[in-house]
Amino acid sequence: METKVVWNGEMKFTGTTPSNFNIVMDSTPDHGGGNEGPRPMELILVALGGCTGMDVISILNKMKEKVEHFEMKITAERAQEHPKVYTKVHIEYIFKGENLNEANIKKAIDLSQTKYCSVSAMLRNTAEVTYSYKIL
């Protein structure tokens, strides 16, 4: 796998993914940027949500669960000193659907967190990753 990241001046960079999608990253004006894109550390949390979310939906689809709405709220804390890694991450999984089976929801989340989600696995090297869920 290979990606390319190009500097666009000031603190703005464009990353091109191996699947050929572009992501613009930038910093705040007080750090020399123009606030024209997300920060790299923000993208890690977005990647976490995408990774575990795709796992959970895939597993629930195989279980024939009828999920109508699904979202995650991810909160995180960072170390005070550089390199300011994430030290705590919490994922709240929120589901809405027709007669959702709570045991299947829990199993899908557990499988994602303990077996499938590579982003969670990497984050656990520096952070305590916890999660909760609710069914609306």
Side-chain angles (χ1 to χ4, degrees), residues 49-105:
C51 181
T52 187
M54 288 178 193
D55 290 343
V56 168
I57 287 298
S58 175
I59 293 164
L60 290 174
N61 283 342
K62 290 175 185 167
M63 294 175 168
K64 308 260 191 265
E65 292 291 340
K66 297 194 180 347
V67 177
E68 295 169 5
H69 179 80
F70 171 50
E71 65 183 65
M72 292 156 282
K73 292 181 182 173
I74 302 170
T75 54
E77 294 178 20
R78 292 177 69 180
Q80 294 296 316
E81 301 298 320
H82 288 287
K84 297 187 181 181
V85 297
Y86 287 118
T87 56
K88 292 184 180 181
V89 178
H90 182 77
I91 309 161
E92 181 184 22
Y93 297 86
I94 303 164
F95 299 88
K96 184 178 178 186
E98 184 181 320
N99 300 317
L100 295 175
N101 181 310
E102 185 174 357
N104 285 348
I105 297 282

CSV table of all heavy atoms in Angstrom, one decimal, residues 49-105:
chain,number,residue,atom,x,y,z
A,49,GLY,N,-14.1,5.5,13.4
A,49,GLY,CA,-15.5,5.4,13.2
A,49,GLY,C,-15.9,4.6,11.9
A,49,GLY,O,-16.7,3.8,11.9
A,50,GLY,N,-15.1,4.9,10.8
A,50,GLY,CA,-15.4,4.2,9.6
A,50,GLY,C,-15.0,2.8,9.7
A,50,GLY,O,-15.8,1.9,9.2
A,51,CYS,N,-13.9,2.5,10.3
A,51,CYS,CA,-13.5,1.1,10.4
A,51,CYS,C,-14.4,0.2,11.2
A,51,CYS,O,-14.9,-0.8,10.8
A,51,CYS,CB,-12.1,1.1,11.1
A,51,CYS,SG,-11.3,-0.5,11.3
A,52,THR,N,-14.7,0.7,12.5
A,52,THR,CA,-15.6,-0.1,13.3
A,52,THR,C,-17.0,-0.1,12.8
A,52,THR,O,-17.8,-1.1,12.9
A,52,THR,CB,-15.5,0.3,14.8
A,52,THR,OG1,-16.3,-0.6,15.6
A,52,THR,CG2,-16.0,1.7,15.0
A,53,GLY,N,-17.5,1.0,12.2
A,53,GLY,CA,-18.8,1.1,11.7
A,53,GLY,C,-19.1,0.2,10.5
A,53,GLY,O,-20.1,-0.5,10.5
A,54,MET,N,-18.1,0.1,9.6
A,54,MET,CA,-18.2,-0.9,8.5
A,54,MET,C,-18.3,-2.3,9.0
A,54,MET,O,-19.0,-3.1,8.5
A,54,MET,CB,-17.1,-0.7,7.5
A,54,MET,CG,-17.2,0.6,6.7
A,54,MET,SD,-15.7,0.7,5.6
A,54,MET,CE,-15.9,2.4,5.1
A,55,ASP,N,-17.4,-2.6,10.0
A,55,ASP,CA,-17.5,-4.0,10.6
A,55,ASP,C,-18.9,-4.3,11.2
A,55,ASP,O,-19.5,-5.3,10.9
A,55,ASP,CB,-16.5,-4.1,11.8
A,55,ASP,CG,-15.0,-4.1,11.4
A,55,ASP,OD1,-14.7,-4.3,10.2
A,55,ASP,OD2,-14.2,-3.8,12.3
A,56,VAL,N,-19.4,-3.4,12.0
A,56,VAL,CA,-20.6,-3.6,12.7
A,56,VAL,C,-21.8,-3.7,11.7
A,56,VAL,O,-22.6,-4.7,11.8
A,56,VAL,CB,-20.9,-2.4,13.7
A,56,VAL,CG1,-22.3,-2.5,14.3
A,56,VAL,CG2,-19.9,-2.5,14.9
A,57,ILE,N,-21.9,-2.9,10.7
A,57,ILE,CA,-22.9,-3.0,9.8
A,57,ILE,C,-22.8,-4.3,9.0
A,57,ILE,O,-23.8,-5.0,8.7
A,57,ILE,CB,-23.0,-1.7,8.8
A,57,ILE,CG1,-23.5,-0.5,9.6
A,57,ILE,CG2,-23.8,-2.0,7.6
A,57,ILE,CD1,-24.9,-0.6,10.1
A,58,SER,N,-21.6,-4.6,8.6
A,58,SER,CA,-21.4,-5.9,7.8
A,58,SER,C,-21.9,-7.1,8.6
A,58,SER,O,-22.6,-8.0,8.1
A,58,SER,CB,-20.0,-6.0,7.4
A,58,SER,OG,-19.7,-7.3,6.8
A,59,ILE,N,-21.5,-7.1,9.9
A,59,ILE,CA,-21.9,-8.2,10.8
A,59,ILE,C,-23.4,-8.3,11.0
A,59,ILE,O,-24.1,-9.3,10.9
A,59,ILE,CB,-21.1,-8.2,12.1
A,59,ILE,CG1,-19.6,-8.4,11.9
A,59,ILE,CG2,-21.7,-9.2,13.1
A,59,ILE,CD1,-18.7,-8.0,13.0
A,60,LEU,N,-24.0,-7.1,11.3
A,60,LEU,CA,-25.5,-7.0,11.5
A,60,LEU,C,-26.2,-7.4,10.2
A,60,LEU,O,-27.3,-8.0,10.3
A,60,LEU,CB,-25.8,-5.7,12.0
A,60,LEU,CG,-25.4,-5.4,13.5
A,60,LEU,CD1,-25.7,-3.9,13.8
A,60,LEU,CD2,-26.0,-6.3,14.5
A,61,ASN,N,-25.7,-7.0,9.1
A,61,ASN,CA,-26.4,-7.4,7.8
A,61,ASN,C,-26.4,-8.9,7.7
A,61,ASN,O,-27.4,-9.5,7.3
A,61,ASN,CB,-25.7,-6.8,6.6
A,61,ASN,CG,-26.1,-5.3,6.4
A,61,ASN,OD1,-27.1,-4.9,7.0
A,61,ASN,ND2,-25.2,-4.6,5.7
A,62,LYS,N,-25.3,-9.6,8.0
A,62,LYS,CA,-25.2,-11.1,8.0
A,62,LYS,C,-26.2,-11.7,9.0
A,62,LYS,O,-26.7,-12.8,8.8
A,62,LYS,CB,-23.8,-11.5,8.2
A,62,LYS,CG,-22.9,-11.2,7.1
A,62,LYS,CD,-21.4,-11.6,7.4
A,62,LYS,CE,-20.6,-11.1,6.2
A,62,LYS,NZ,-19.1,-11.2,6.6
A,63,MET,N,-26.4,-11.0,10.1
A,63,MET,CA,-27.4,-11.5,11.1
A,63,MET,C,-28.8,-11.1,10.8
A,63,MET,O,-29.7,-11.4,11.5
A,63,MET,CB,-27.0,-10.9,12.5
A,63,MET,CG,-25.7,-11.3,13.0
A,63,MET,SD,-25.4,-10.4,14.6
A,63,MET,CE,-24.0,-11.3,15.2
A,64,LYS,N,-29.0,-10.5,9.6
A,64,LYS,CA,-30.3,-10.1,9.1
A,64,LYS,C,-31.1,-9.0,10.0
A,64,LYS,O,-32.3,-9.0,10.1
A,64,LYS,CB,-31.2,-11.3,8.9
A,64,LYS,CG,-30.6,-12.4,8.1
A,64,LYS,CD,-31.1,-12.4,6.7
A,64,LYS,CE,-30.7,-13.6,5.9
A,64,LYS,NZ,-29.5,-13.5,5.1
A,65,GLU,N,-30.3,-8.2,10.7
A,65,GLU,CA,-30.8,-7.2,11.5
A,65,GLU,C,-31.2,-6.0,10.6
A,65,GLU,O,-30.5,-5.7,9.7
A,65,GLU,CB,-29.8,-6.7,12.6
A,65,GLU,CG,-29.5,-7.7,13.7
A,65,GLU,CD,-30.7,-8.0,14.6
A,65,GLU,OE1,-31.6,-7.1,14.7
A,65,GLU,OE2,-30.7,-9.0,15.3
A,66,LYS,N,-32.3,-5.4,10.9
A,66,LYS,CA,-32.8,-4.3,10.1
A,66,LYS,C,-32.5,-2.9,10.7
A,66,LYS,O,-33.3,-2.3,11.3
A,66,LYS,CB,-34.3,-4.5,9.9
A,66,LYS,CG,-34.7,-5.7,9.1
A,66,LYS,CD,-36.1,-5.7,8.6
A,66,LYS,CE,-36.6,-6.9,7.9
A,66,LYS,NZ,-35.7,-7.9,7.4
A,67,VAL,N,-31.3,-2.5,10.5
A,67,VAL,CA,-30.8,-1.2,11.0
A,67,VAL,C,-31.3,-0.1,10.1
A,67,VAL,O,-31.1,-0.1,8.9
A,67,VAL,CB,-29.3,-1.2,11.1
A,67,VAL,CG1,-28.8,0.2,11.6
A,67,VAL,CG2,-28.8,-2.3,12.0
A,68,GLU,N,-32.0,0.8,10.7
A,68,GLU,CA,-32.5,2.0,9.9
A,68,GLU,C,-31.6,3.2,10.0
A,68,GLU,O,-31.5,4.0,9.1
A,68,GLU,CB,-33.9,2.3,10.4
A,68,GLU,CG,-35.0,1.2,10.1
A,68,GLU,CD,-36.3,1.5,10.9
A,68,GLU,OE1,-36.4,2.6,11.5
A,68,GLU,OE2,-37.1,0.6,10.8
A,69,HIS,N,-31.0,3.3,11.2
A,69,HIS,CA,-30.1,4.5,11.4
A,69,HIS,C,-29.0,4.0,12.3
A,69,HIS,O,-29.2,3.3,13.3
A,69,HIS,CB,-30.8,5.7,12.0
A,69,HIS,CG,-29.9,6.8,12.3
A,69,HIS,ND1,-29.6,7.7,11.3
A,69,HIS,CD2,-29.3,7.2,13.4
A,69,HIS,CE1,-28.8,8.6,11.8
A,69,HIS,NE2,-28.6,8.4,13.1
A,70,PHE,N,-27.8,4.4,12.0
A,70,PHE,CA,-26.6,4.0,12.8
A,70,PHE,C,-25.6,5.2,12.8
A,70,PHE,O,-25.3,5.7,11.8
A,70,PHE,CB,-26.0,2.8,12.3
A,70,PHE,CG,-24.7,2.4,12.9
A,70,PHE,CD1,-24.5,2.3,14.3
A,70,PHE,CD2,-23.6,2.1,12.1
A,70,PHE,CE1,-23.3,1.9,14.8
A,70,PHE,CE2,-22.4,1.7,12.6
A,70,PHE,CZ,-22.3,1.6,14.0
A,71,GLU,N,-25.2,5.6,14.0
A,71,GLU,CA,-24.1,6.6,14.1
A,71,GLU,C,-23.3,6.3,15.3
A,71,GLU,O,-23.6,5.5,16.2
A,71,GLU,CB,-24.7,8.0,14.2
A,71,GLU,CG,-25.5,8.3,15.4
A,71,GLU,CD,-26.1,9.7,15.4
A,71,GLU,OE1,-27.0,9.9,14.6
A,71,GLU,OE2,-25.7,10.5,16.3
A,72,MET,N,-22.1,6.9,15.3
A,72,MET,CA,-21.2,6.8,16.5
A,72,MET,C,-20.8,8.2,16.9
A,72,MET,O,-20.5,9.0,16.0
A,72,MET,CB,-20.0,6.0,16.1
A,72,MET,CG,-20.3,4.5,15.8
A,72,MET,SD,-19.0,3.8,14.7
A,72,MET,CE,-19.6,4.5,13.1
A,73,LYS,N,-20.7,8.4,18.2
A,73,LYS,CA,-20.1,9.6,18.7
A,73,LYS,C,-18.8,9.2,19.4
A,73,LYS,O,-18.8,8.3,20.3
A,73,LYS,CB,-21.1,10.2,19.8
A,73,LYS,CG,-22.3,10.8,19.1
A,73,LYS,CD,-23.3,11.4,20.1
A,73,LYS,CE,-24.5,11.9,19.4
A,73,LYS,NZ,-25.5,12.4,20.3
A,74,ILE,N,-17.7,9.7,18.9
A,74,ILE,CA,-16.4,9.3,19.4
A,74,ILE,C,-15.8,10.5,20.1
A,74,ILE,O,-15.7,11.6,19.6
A,74,ILE,CB,-15.5,8.9,18.2
A,74,ILE,CG1,-16.2,7.7,17.5
A,74,ILE,CG2,-14.1,8.5,18.7
A,74,ILE,CD1,-15.6,7.3,16.2
A,75,THR,N,-15.4,10.3,21.4
A,75,THR,CA,-14.8,11.3,22.2
A,75,THR,C,-13.4,10.8,22.5
A,75,THR,O,-13.1,9.6,22.6
A,75,THR,CB,-15.5,11.6,23.5
A,75,THR,OG1,-15.7,10.4,24.2
A,75,THR,CG2,-16.9,12.3,23.1
A,76,ALA,N,-12.4,11.7,22.7
A,76,ALA,CA,-11.1,11.3,22.9
A,76,ALA,C,-10.3,12.4,23.8
A,76,ALA,O,-10.7,13.5,23.8
A,76,ALA,CB,-10.3,11.1,21.6
A,77,GLU,N,-9.3,11.9,24.5
A,77,GLU,CA,-8.4,12.7,25.3
A,77,GLU,C,-7.0,12.5,24.8
A,77,GLU,O,-6.7,11.3,24.4
A,77,GLU,CB,-8.5,12.4,26.8
A,77,GLU,CG,-9.8,12.6,27.4
A,77,GLU,CD,-9.9,12.2,28.9
A,77,GLU,OE1,-8.8,12.1,29.5
A,77,GLU,OE2,-11.0,12.1,29.4
A,78,ARG,N,-6.2,13.5,24.8
A,78,ARG,CA,-4.8,13.4,24.3
A,78,ARG,C,-3.9,13.7,25.4
A,78,ARG,O,-4.2,14.5,26.3
A,78,ARG,CB,-4.6,14.4,23.1
A,78,ARG,CG,-5.4,14.0,21.9
A,78,ARG,CD,-5.2,15.0,20.8
A,78,ARG,NE,-3.9,15.0,20.2
A,78,ARG,CZ,-3.5,15.8,19.3
A,78,ARG,NH1,-4.3,16.7,18.7
A,78,ARG,NH2,-2.2,15.7,18.8
A,79,ALA,N,-2.7,13.2,25.3
A,79,ALA,CA,-1.6,13.5,26.2
A,79,ALA,C,-1.3,15.0,26.2
A,79,ALA,O,-1.4,15.6,25.1
A,79,ALA,CB,-0.4,12.7,25.9
A,80,GLN,N,-0.9,15.5,27.3
A,80,GLN,CA,-0.5,17.0,27.4
A,80,GLN,C,0.8,17.3,26.7
A,80,GLN,O,1.0,18.3,26.2
A,80,GLN,CB,-0.5,17.4,28.9
A,80,GLN,CG,-1.8,17.3,29.5
A,80,GLN,CD,-2.8,18.3,28.9
A,80,GLN,OE1,-2.5,19.5,28.7
A,80,GLN,NE2,-4.0,17.8,28.7
A,81,GLU,N,1.7,16.3,26.7
A,81,GLU,CA,3.1,16.5,26.2
A,81,GLU,C,3.2,15.9,24.8
A,81,GLU,O,2.5,14.9,24.5
A,81,GLU,CB,4.1,15.9,27.1
A,81,GLU,CG,4.1,16.5,28.5
A,81,GLU,CD,4.4,17.9,28.6
A,81,GLU,OE1,5.3,18.4,27.8
A,81,GLU,OE2,3.8,18.7,29.4
A,82,HIS,N,4.1,16.4,24.0
A,82,HIS,CA,4.3,15.8,22.7
A,82,HIS,C,4.9,14.4,22.8
A,82,HIS,O,5.6,14.2,23.7
A,82,HIS,CB,5.3,16.7,21.9
A,82,HIS,CG,4.7,18.0,21.5
A,82,HIS,ND1,3.8,18.1,20.4
A,82,HIS,CD2,4.8,19.3,21.9
A,82,HIS,CE1,3.4,19.4,20.3
A,82,HIS,NE2,4.0,20.1,21.2
A,83,PRO,N,4.4,13.5,22.0
A,83,PRO,CA,3.7,13.7,20.7
A,83,PRO,C,2.2,13.8,20.8
A,83,PRO,O,1.5,13.7,19.8
A,83,PRO,CB,4.2,12.5,19.9
A,83,PRO,CG,4.4,11.4,20.9
A,83,PRO,CD,4.9,12.1,22.1
A,84,LYS,N,1.7,14.0,22.0
A,84,LYS,CA,0.2,14.2,22.2
A,84,LYS,C,-0.7,13.2,21.6
A,84,LYS,O,-1.6,13.5,20.9
A,84,LYS,CB,-0.2,15.6,21.8
A,84,LYS,CG,0.5,16.8,22.5
A,84,LYS,CD,0.0,18.1,22.2
A,84,LYS,CE,0.7,19.2,23.0
A,84,LYS,NZ,0.2,20.5,22.7
A,85,VAL,N,-0.3,11.9,21.9
A,85,VAL,CA,-1.1,10.8,21.4
A,85,VAL,C,-2.4,10.7,22.1
A,85,VAL,O,-2.6,11.3,23.2
A,85,VAL,CB,-0.3,9.5,21.6
A,85,VAL,CG1,1.0,9.4,20.8
A,85,VAL,CG2,-0.1,9.2,23.0
A,86,TYR,N,-3.4,10.0,21.5
A,86,TYR,CA,-4.6,9.8,22.2
A,86,TYR,C,-4.3,8.8,23.4
A,86,TYR,O,-3.6,7.9,23.3
A,86,TYR,CB,-5.7,9.1,21.3
A,86,TYR,CG,-6.2,10.1,20.3
A,86,TYR,CD1,-6.0,9.9,18.9
A,86,TYR,CD2,-6.9,11.2,20.7
A,86,TYR,CE1,-6.6,10.8,18.0
A,86,TYR,CE2,-7.4,12.1,19.8
A,86,TYR,CZ,-7.2,11.9,18.4
A,86,TYR,OH,-7.7,12.8,17.5
A,87,THR,N,-4.9,9.2,24.6
A,87,THR,CA,-4.8,8.4,25.7
A,87,THR,C,-6.1,7.7,26.1
A,87,THR,O,-6.0,6.6,26.7
A,87,THR,CB,-4.3,9.2,26.9
A,87,THR,OG1,-5.2,10.3,27.2
A,87,THR,CG2,-2.9,9.8,26.7
A,88,LYS,N,-7.2,8.3,25.8
A,88,LYS,CA,-8.5,7.7,26.0
A,88,LYS,C,-9.4,7.9,24.8
A,88,LYS,O,-9.4,9.1,24.3
A,88,LYS,CB,-9.1,8.3,27.3
A,88,LYS,CG,-8.5,7.9,28.6
A,88,LYS,CD,-9.3,8.4,29.7
A,88,LYS,CE,-8.5,8.1,31.0
A,88,LYS,NZ,-9.3,8.6,32.2
A,89,VAL,N,-10.1,6.9,24.4
A,89,VAL,CA,-11.0,7.1,23.3
A,89,VAL,C,-12.3,6.3,23.7
A,89,VAL,O,-12.2,5.2,24.2
A,89,VAL,CB,-10.5,6.5,22.0
A,89,VAL,CG1,-11.5,6.6,20.9
A,89,VAL,CG2,-9.2,7.2,21.6
A,90,HIS,N,-13.4,6.9,23.5
A,90,HIS,CA,-14.7,6.3,23.8
A,90,HIS,C,-15.6,6.4,22.6
A,90,HIS,O,-15.8,7.4,22.0
A,90,HIS,CB,-15.4,6.9,25.0
A,90,HIS,CG,-16.7,6.2,25.3
A,90,HIS,ND1,-16.7,5.0,26.0
A,90,HIS,CD2,-18.0,6.5,25.0
A,90,HIS,CE1,-18.0,4.6,26.1
A,90,HIS,NE2,-18.8,5.5,25.5
A,91,ILE,N,-16.2,5.2,22.2
A,91,ILE,CA,-17.1,5.2,21.1
A,91,ILE,C,-18.5,4.9,21.6
A,91,ILE,O,-18.7,3.9,22.3
A,91,ILE,CB,-16.7,4.0,20.1
A,91,ILE,CG1,-15.2,4.2,19.7
A,91,ILE,CG2,-17.6,4.0,18.9
A,91,ILE,CD1,-14.6,2.9,19.1
A,92,GLU,N,-19.4,5.7,21.3
A,92,GLU,CA,-20.8,5.4,21.6
A,92,GLU,C,-21.5,5.1,20.3
A,92,GLU,O,-21.6,5.9,19.4
A,92,GLU,CB,-21.5,6.7,22.3
A,92,GLU,CG,-22.9,6.4,22.6
A,92,GLU,CD,-23.7,7.6,23.2
A,92,GLU,OE1,-23.3,8.7,22.9
A,92,GLU,OE2,-24.7,7.4,23.8
A,93,TYR,N,-22.0,3.8,20.3
A,93,TYR,CA,-22.7,3.3,19.1
A,93,TYR,C,-24.2,3.6,19.3
A,93,TYR,O,-24.7,3.2,20.4
A,93,TYR,CB,-22.5,1.8,18.9
A,93,TYR,CG,-21.1,1.4,18.7
A,93,TYR,CD1,-20.2,1.2,19.7
A,93,TYR,CD2,-20.6,1.2,17.4
A,93,TYR,CE1,-18.9,0.8,19.4
A,93,TYR,CE2,-19.3,0.7,17.1
A,93,TYR,CZ,-18.5,0.5,18.2
A,93,TYR,OH,-17.2,0.1,17.9
A,94,ILE,N,-24.9,4.2,18.4
A,94,ILE,CA,-26.3,4.5,18.5
A,94,ILE,C,-27.0,3.9,17.3
A,94,ILE,O,-26.7,4.1,16.2
A,94,ILE,CB,-26.5,6.0,18.5
A,94,ILE,CG1,-25.7,6.6,19.7
A,94,ILE,CG2,-28.0,6.4,18.7
A,94,ILE,CD1,-25.5,8.1,19.6
A,95,PHE,N,-28.0,3.1,17.6
A,95,PHE,CA,-28.8,2.3,16.6
A,95,PHE,C,-30.3,2.6,16.7
A,95,PHE,O,-30.8,2.9,17.8
A,95,PHE,CB,-28.7,0.8,16.9
A,95,PHE,CG,-27.3,0.3,16.8
A,95,PHE,CD1,-26.5,0.3,17.9
A,95,PHE,CD2,-26.8,-0.2,15.6
A,95,PHE,CE1,-25.2,-0.2,17.9
A,95,PHE,CE2,-25.5,-0.7,15.5
A,95,PHE,CZ,-24.7,-0.7,16.7
A,96,LYS,N,-30.9,2.6,15.5
A,96,LYS,CA,-32.3,2.7,15.4
A,96,LYS,C,-32.7,1.7,14.4
A,96,LYS,O,-32.1,1.6,13.3
A,96,LYS,CB,-32.8,4.1,15.0
A,96,LYS,CG,-34.3,4.2,15.0
A,96,LYS,CD,-34.7,5.7,14.7
A,96,LYS,CE,-36.2,5.8,14.6
A,96,LYS,NZ,-36.6,7.1,14.1
A,97,GLY,N,-33.8,0.9,14.7
A,97,GLY,CA,-34.2,-0.1,13.7
A,97,GLY,C,-35.4,-0.9,14.2
A,97,GLY,O,-35.8,-0.7,15.4
A,98,GLU,N,-35.9,-1.7,13.3
A,98,GLU,CA,-37.1,-2.5,13.6
A,98,GLU,C,-36.7,-3.8,14.4
A,98,GLU,O,-36.0,-4.6,13.9
A,98,GLU,CB,-37.7,-2.9,12.3
A,98,GLU,CG,-39.0,-3.6,12.4
A,98,GLU,CD,-39.5,-4.0,11.0
A,98,GLU,OE1,-39.4,-3.1,10.1
A,98,GLU,OE2,-40.0,-5.1,10.8
A,99,ASN,N,-37.2,-3.9,15.6
A,99,ASN,CA,-37.0,-5.1,16.5
A,99,ASN,C,-35.5,-5.5,16.5
A,99,ASN,O,-35.2,-6.7,16.4
A,99,ASN,CB,-37.8,-6.2,16.0
A,99,ASN,CG,-39.3,-5.9,16.0
A,99,ASN,OD1,-39.8,-5.3,17.0
A,99,ASN,ND2,-40.0,-6.3,15.0
A,100,LEU,N,-34.6,-4.6,16.8
A,100,LEU,CA,-33.2,-4.9,16.8
A,100,LEU,C,-32.9,-5.8,18.0
A,100,LEU,O,-33.4,-5.5,19.1
A,100,LEU,CB,-32.3,-3.7,16.9
A,100,LEU,CG,-32.4,-2.8,15.6
A,100,LEU,CD1,-31.6,-1.5,15.8
A,100,LEU,CD2,-31.8,-3.5,14.4
A,101,ASN,N,-32.1,-6.8,17.8
A,101,ASN,CA,-31.8,-7.8,18.9
A,101,ASN,C,-30.5,-7.3,19.6
A,101,ASN,O,-29.4,-7.2,19.0
A,101,ASN,CB,-31.5,-9.2,18.2
A,101,ASN,CG,-31.1,-10.2,19.2
A,101,ASN,OD1,-30.3,-10.0,20.1
A,101,ASN,ND2,-31.8,-11.4,19.1
A,102,GLU,N,-30.7,-7.0,20.9
A,102,GLU,CA,-29.6,-6.4,21.6
A,102,GLU,C,-28.4,-7.3,21.7
A,102,GLU,O,-27.2,-6.8,21.6
A,102,GLU,CB,-30.0,-6.0,23.0
A,102,GLU,CG,-29.0,-5.3,23.8
A,102,GLU,CD,-29.5,-4.7,25.2
A,102,GLU,OE1,-30.6,-4.9,25.5
A,102,GLU,OE2,-28.6,-4.2,25.9
A,103,ALA,N,-28.6,-8.6,21.8
A,103,ALA,CA,-27.5,-9.5,21.9
A,103,ALA,C,-26.7,-9.5,20.6
A,103,ALA,O,-25.4,-9.6,20.6
A,103,ALA,CB,-28.0,-11.0,22.1
A,104,ASN,N,-27.3,-9.4,19.4
A,104,ASN,CA,-26.6,-9.3,18.2
A,104,ASN,C,-25.9,-8.0,18.0
A,104,ASN,O,-24.8,-8.0,17.5
A,104,ASN,CB,-27.6,-9.4,17.0
A,104,ASN,CG,-28.1,-10.9,16.8
A,104,ASN,OD1,-27.5,-11.8,17.4
A,104,ASN,ND2,-29.1,-11.0,16.0
A,105,ILE,N,-26.5,-6.9,18.5
A,105,ILE,CA,-25.8,-5.6,18.5
A,105,ILE,C,-24.5,-5.7,19.3
A,105,ILE,O,-23.4,-5.3,18.8
A,105,ILE,CB,-26.7,-4.5,19.1
A,105,ILE,CG1,-27.9,-4.3,18.3
A,105,ILE,CG2,-25.9,-3.2,19.3
A,105,ILE,CD1,-27.8,-3.5,17.0
